[in-house]
């Protein structure tokens, strides 16, 4: 009887461990979905026009972060594709621009400040093309933007410094940890700025409330004296 009891217990423990695997897999999948990816790859069709409107792809980058832009433009006749890398400030400062790109183009910049960086494209059609034909023309752009640690070629660094596979992985982890540290520092600065804004707003609201109370009290006192003098003139009170 004891042996039968032991056998009956063993399948239940294995069944409980197997049942916990889906929940663990869901947790891992949710964690991977939460982690932000600094790299972005996108493929889109860029319509041609005589006076084209820039089509911009925006990415957030930290200060002094390395940004690698790789654009692969499909061939197209009587069309000129221009690329421009700008920041998200009011002045739209231009990091660099290049006219008439064809095939694969690789650009590298270093961000000057914290904020967004936009990669803008324009597809200009030749003046000899009519408007009806220009509306049918387009080129396909395959864009890949790598920021921070993803923009660093660790294989080239490993070959240059003769690093082992383990040292190369440690160098990658060092870059990722630096990005996380920079992100935490940026969030801390934002939290401090928001706290200062809340404190100043609270002080202004308190000052305005005190001023309103003083005005209401002064108005009430004036009304009392005014009504009192009015009733005295009318001989309603002594």
């Amino acid at each position: 009887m004891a042996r039968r009891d032991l056998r009956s217990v063993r399948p239940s423990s294995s069944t409980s461990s197997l049942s916990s695997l889906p929940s663990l897999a869901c947790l891992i999948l949710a964690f991977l979905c939460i982690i932000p990816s600094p790299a972005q790859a996108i493929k889109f069709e860029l319509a041609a026009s005589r006076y084209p409107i820039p089509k911009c792809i925006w990415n957030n980058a930290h200060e002094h972060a390395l940004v690698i832009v790789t654009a692969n433009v499909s061939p197209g006749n009587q069309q000129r594709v221009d690329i421009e890398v700008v920041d998200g400030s009011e002045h739209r400062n231009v990091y660099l621009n290049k006219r008439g790109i064809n095939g694969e183009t690789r650009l590298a910049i270093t961000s000057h400040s914290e904020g967004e960086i936009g990669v803008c494209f324009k597809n200009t059609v030749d003046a000899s093309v009519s408007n009806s034909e220009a509306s049918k023309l387009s080129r396909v752009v395959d864009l890949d933007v790598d920021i921070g640690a993803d923009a660093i070629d660790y294989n080239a660094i490993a070959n240059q410094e003769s690093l082992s596979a383990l040292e190369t992985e440690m160098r990658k982890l060092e870059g990722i940890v630096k990005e996380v540290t920079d992100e935490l520092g940026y969030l801390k600065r934002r939290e401090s700025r928001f706290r200062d804004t809340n404190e100043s707003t609270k002080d202004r609201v308190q000052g305005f409330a005190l001023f309103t109370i003083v005005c209401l009290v002064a108005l009430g006192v004036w009304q009392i004296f005014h009504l009192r003098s009015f009733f005295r003139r009318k001989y309603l009170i002594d």
Side-chain angles (χ1 to χ4, degrees), residues 3 24 26 46 54 65 83 136 145 168 177 185 203-204 219 233:
R3 291 180 180 177
L24 181 60
C26 292
L46 188 63
I83 185 173
K136 302 177 183 179
V145 181
T168 305
V177 169
D203 295 338
R204 292 178 181 178
L219 181 61
R233 288 197 305 267

Side-chain angles (χ1 to χ4, degrees), residues 67-159:
V67 180
I68 302 294
V69 179
T70 305
N72 196 346
V73 182
S74 64
N77 296 326
Q78 298 178 328
Q79 302 173 69
R80 189 191 76 238
V81 176
D82 304 332
I83 185 173
E84 189 177 51
V85 183
V86 299
D87 62 5
S89 63
E90 298 178 356
H91 306 287
R92 297 290 291 271
N93 300 317
V94 179
Y95 284 97
L96 53 85
N97 55 7
K98 192 172 183 180
R99 295 167 59 89
I101 62 174
N102 292 290
E104 183 175 348
T105 302
R106 189 178 177 88
L107 305 174
I109 64 169
T110 302
S111 60
H112 298 160
S113 60
E114 191 84 26
E116 290 186 332
I117 293 179
V119 183
C120 301
F121 295 90
K122 289 192 301 183
N123 188 7
T124 307
V125 71
D126 291 342
S128 59
V129 180
S130 61
N131 294 330
S132 58
E133 294 178 356
S135 60
K136 302 177 183 179
L137 298 178
S138 64
R139 299 178 74 173
V140 178
V141 178
D142 190 356
L143 177 64
D144 188 9
V145 181
D146 296 320
I147 302 174
D150 288 345
I152 301 175
D153 189 358
Y154 289 100
N155 294 326
I157 295 176
N159 294 331

Side-chain angles (χ1 to χ4, degrees), residues 31-49:
F31 178 75
L32 292 177
C33 293
I34 292 173
I35 297 177
S37 176
Q40 179 181 9
I42 185 173
K43 188 174 184 179
F44 58 92
E45 186 175 358
L46 188 63
S49 176

